[in-house]
Amino acid sequence: MIKQEIKERVLDTTLLSYRQGLFAGTSGNLSEYDPQTGYMYITPSSYPYEAMTVDDIMVIDLDGNIIEGSHHPSSEWRMHAIVYRNMAPRVLSVVHTHSPYATAFAVNHQTIPAVLIEALVFLGGDIRCADYATPGTKEVGLNAVPALEGRRGCTLANHGVLAVGGDLAQAYLNAEYIEDVAKIYAIARSVGTPVELKSL
């Protein structure tokens, strides 16, 4: 059964991500997984956010079969599916961004230390960088899963950011905090020597 309320959440969070600068152009994607049906509700591939409506949200299974929708699902659907296969039901939402500060550390293959309390409370600690894999392949997800162990987000080498959560609101918030921690850490490095928080 297709659940309209999930499609609406996916659309609303997508537009919010775009307005807040976590998505740019047609880059970035997000999804919510319904464990009752095994369906993933995910943004369409290469579709302009300004024109997106609830009818553009794709519904697929974890093998990529289209259940509902007239577009191709995001090219990163395999990454989302791998995360759900390995981390559901703890993780039921994925937000993948190309937010600039965090992605800059991903390009350098650098861990972002937990320099803000939000990193400990919301993200589980430092933000690891998953090994590189060609975008659009299942290997992106396979490499991300170990980087997400004990964490609610990671960066993807030379690619972007992956945030997860028990619901879309949590995954979106975690994506915001990853970018905020990365930005503060980058600025702090330019003016001194940042101190990592080891505990609350």
Side-chain angles (χ1 to χ4, degrees):
M1 181 180 71
I2 305 301
K3 298 180 180 179
Q4 189 72 8
E5 68 271 18
I6 300 181
K7 294 178 73 172
E8 291 171 356
R9 275 198 301 271
V10 169
L11 176 65
D12 290 345
T13 310
T14 297
L15 297 179
L16 178 62
S17 299
Y18 179 66
R19 290 194 298 268
Q20 295 300 317
L22 296 178
F23 292 174
T26 59
S27 69
N29 43 78
L30 57 80
S31 69
E32 180 173 327
Y33 179 61
D34 178 14
Q36 292 181 333
T37 60
Y39 294 163
M40 180 187 352
Y41 294 69
I42 191 166
T43 47
S45 179
S46 301
Y47 197 85
Y49 297 114
E50 302 97 325
M52 196 174 294
T53 71
V54 71
D55 292 331
D56 296 311
I57 303 304
M58 299 297 297
V59 184
I60 65 174
D61 64 20
L62 295 188
D63 293 317
N65 298 305
I66 295 176
I67 308 302
E68 182 176 280
S70 58
H71 306 287
H72 293 292
S74 167
S75 61
E76 295 294 353
W77 72 264
R78 295 173 184 85
M79 174 186 70
H80 293 246
I82 291 291
V83 170
Y84 294 135
R85 287 187 191 278
N86 285 272
M87 302 184 74
R90 181 174 69 86
V91 169
L92 296 177
S93 290
V94 170
V95 175
H96 168 50
T97 79
H98 292 186
S99 55
Y101 280 91
T103 301
F105 286 100
V107 168
N108 286 325
H109 296 204
Q110 292 178 343
T111 295
I112 304 167
V115 293
L116 299 178
I117 192 171
E118 289 84 358
L120 297 178
V121 173
F122 292 95
L123 303 175
D126 58 5
I127 303 155
R128 305 172 185 133
C129 182
D131 291 340
Y132 179 77
T134 302
T137 65
K138 66 179 181 180
E139 283 73 23
V140 179
L142 292 171
N143 290 351
V145 167
L148 288 169
E149 184 175 354
R151 299 291 187 272
R152 297 177 197 93
C154 68
T155 60
L156 308 170
N158 298 91
H159 188 166
V161 175
L162 182 61
V164 300
D167 55 40
L168 257 179
Q170 185 182 68
Y172 170 80
L173 185 64
N174 292 339
E176 279 199 309
Y177 278 131
I178 290 171
E179 179 65 1
D180 189 52
V181 173
K183 182 176 182 178
I184 296 298
Y185 179 60
I187 295 170
R189 287 207 311 187
S190 73
V191 298
T193 303
V195 178
E196 183 175 5
L197 291 173
K198 299 297 184 180
S199 63
L200 293 176

